Amino acid sequence: MKNNLTRNHVDQIIAHAREASPHECCGLIGGTANGTVQTIYRARNVAADPAVTYEAAPEDLFAAQRAMRERGEQLIAIYHSHPRATDPQPSPTDVRLAYYPSAVYFIVGLGSEEPCVRAFRIKDHEGWESIEYKVTGDLD
């Protein structure tokens, strides 16, 4: 499965991360079965300590999943930020709480002047692997 985002999608995710900083942001990414991103769904981070972890507000998750069904989208990815990371990687907590094994996990690092967005596949709460994704021109 290819994971294709437009520059606009990446910019939306980075903007969310910057607005939430110094806290972590989080959200869902809906798209087609072949992995083409269509919609970014922001969620509020309701974690007890949002500076070091994320927990999407349940009502935001339900609203995003309902909107995906209405649009004929699938959940293809989940994103969140590590505000101080220069080379973001899933934390042990990220791995333990990865409840969607088929989803790609995007993490935005804001620790450098230029934000760093990386993609991962998290395997059975045991570990992760970095995966490639492609940023395409906007389709507008």
Side-chain angles (χ1 to χ4, degrees), residues 8 28 36 45 57 76 127 135:
N8 182 40
L28 305 179
T36 299
N45 183 354
I76 58 172
V135 178

Side-chain angles (χ1 to χ4, degrees), residues 2-135:
K2 293 271 188 244
N3 293 290
N4 298 317
L5 295 92
T6 65
R7 171 51 49 199
N8 182 40
H9 293 130
V10 174
D11 289 347
Q12 286 180 56
I13 294 168
I14 291 170
H16 188 191
R18 284 180 166 149
E19 289 167 28
S21 185
H23 295 160
E24 293 190 9
C25 75
C26 57
L28 305 179
I29 301 175
T32 64
N34 72 357
T36 299
V37 172
Q38 292 177 302
T39 312
I40 305 298
Y41 298 92
R42 287 184 175 204
R44 287 168 296 135
N45 183 354
V46 295
D49 190 354
V52 295
T53 191
Y54 75 97
E55 178 185 339
E59 58 272 26
D60 294 351
L61 287 177
F62 294 136
Q65 290 169 333
R66 189 169 43 252
M68 281 183 225
R69 275 195 306 278
E70 290 168 0
R71 294 177 172 152
E73 296 175 344
Q74 297 179 9
L75 172 65
I76 58 172
I78 296 167
Y79 72 89
H80 74 282
S81 61
H82 288 176
R84 292 162 298 289
T86 55
D87 181 23
Q89 299 176 1
S91 69
T93 301
D94 293 338
V95 172
R96 189 172 38 77
L97 299 178
Y99 297 119
Y100 298 93
S102 63
V104 171
Y105 286 80
F106 286 95
I107 304 177
V108 182
L110 296 176
S112 303
E113 194 169 315
E114 194 60 39
C116 177
V117 180
R118 295 190 61 208
F120 303 91
R121 182 79 62 193
I122 298 179
K123 301 176 281 196
D124 300 321
H125 308 292
E126 293 171 8
W128 53 268
E129 63 182 357
S130 183
I131 61 171
E132 296 296 313
Y133 67 95
K134 185 175 178 184
V135 178

